[in-house]
Amino acid sequence: MKKTLSIIALSIIGLGLVSCKKENKEIQSAETVAADSTAITAPATADSTATPVTGEAPSAPASNEPSTSIALSESNFDFGKIKKGDKVEHVYEVTNTGKNPLIISEVKPGCGCTAPDFTKEPIMPGKKGKITLHFDSSNFDGNVQKYADVFANVEKAPIKLTFTANIQP
């Protein structure tokens, strides 16, 4: 697979160096190779998913479960003033207000300073689950606003959770 990718990459690079005075046939073949190269997939990872090599960031996995609805206790939280270096967390409570089990497939924080924990098992209709965001303020000063996207089997996913903090020296 690596050899095939290397050959294609070298072909694209080589065709990119073709002079502007060459015939349209060569330019057209370069475009064909470039267009075909977007369909290449990377080797499967431990979770056996393949990601297309298109230069775009991968999106969160889509849930195959039937849609349901969700209610949040809040979607924004303010930690207020905290000391630089403090590690704080906040729990967002979610309630399944639909008729099918709620499945949270992933919570993607907007930066490495935020780590998520969430209810992994299906949340039955009428029941509650939790999404906890842990924030490390070590690398920040002043007012900050951070977020995490929640991917679940709801109609308007992802759901954005945000928090703010005023980090003091």
Side-chain angles (χ1 to χ4, degrees), residues 20 40 54 62 68 80 92 106 128 149:
C20 294
I40 300 168
T54 60
T68 192
Y92 298 83
E106 184 173 4
K128 297 177 188 280
D149 287 329

Side-chain angles (χ1 to χ4, degrees), residues 12-13 35 52 54 61 70 76 83 86 95 102 104 109 116 151 163 168:
I12 293 170
I13 291 169
T54 60
I70 188 172
N76 187 34
K83 286 179 88 175
D86 281 354
T95 304
L102 171 65
I104 302 171
F151 294 87
F163 63 85
Q168 305 294 303

Side-chain angles (χ1 to χ4, degrees), residues 90-109:
H90 181 69
V91 178
Y92 298 83
E93 190 175 88
V94 297
T95 304
N96 181 351
T97 57
K99 297 182 191 280
N100 295 311
L102 171 65
I103 298 171
I104 302 171
S105 57
E106 184 173 4
V107 178
K108 287 178 95 172

Side-chain angles (χ1 to χ4, degrees), residues 15 18 22-35:
L15 290 172
V18 173
K22 295 285 183 183
E23 292 181 25
N24 286 342
K25 193 185 302 183
E26 289 183 54
I27 294 171
Q28 184 179 16
S29 64
E31 290 170 351
T32 304
V33 170

Side-chain angles (χ1 to χ4, degrees), residues 17-102:
L17 299 176
V18 173
S19 169
C20 294
K21 294 181 182 177
K22 295 285 183 183
E23 292 181 25
N24 286 342
K25 193 185 302 183
E26 289 183 54
I27 294 171
Q28 184 179 16
S29 64
E31 290 170 351
T32 304
V33 170
D36 290 344
S37 69
T38 60
I40 300 168
T41 56
T45 56
D47 66 357
S48 17
T49 59
T51 305
V53 181
T54 60
E56 297 176 13
S59 60
S63 175
N64 294 331
E65 300 298 322
S67 284
T68 192
S69 55
I70 188 172
L72 298 166
S73 58
E74 61 195 330
S75 61
N76 187 34
F77 180 75
D78 184 4
F79 285 109
K81 291 181 181 180
I82 60 174
K83 286 179 88 175
K84 182 175 182 132
D86 281 354
K87 294 177 181 167
V88 295
E89 65 182 48
H90 181 69
V91 178
Y92 298 83
E93 190 175 88
V94 297
T95 304
N96 181 351
T97 57
K99 297 182 191 280
N100 295 311
L102 171 65

Side-chain angles (χ1 to χ4, degrees), residues 122-145:
I123 303 165
M124 294 295 133
K127 300 296 181 188
K128 297 177 188 280
K130 295 178 183 177
I131 300 169
T132 305
L133 298 180
H134 306 268
F135 173 64
D136 182 352
S137 67
S138 299
N139 297 320
F140 299 94
D141 293 303
N143 291 318
V144 296
Q145 181 172 3

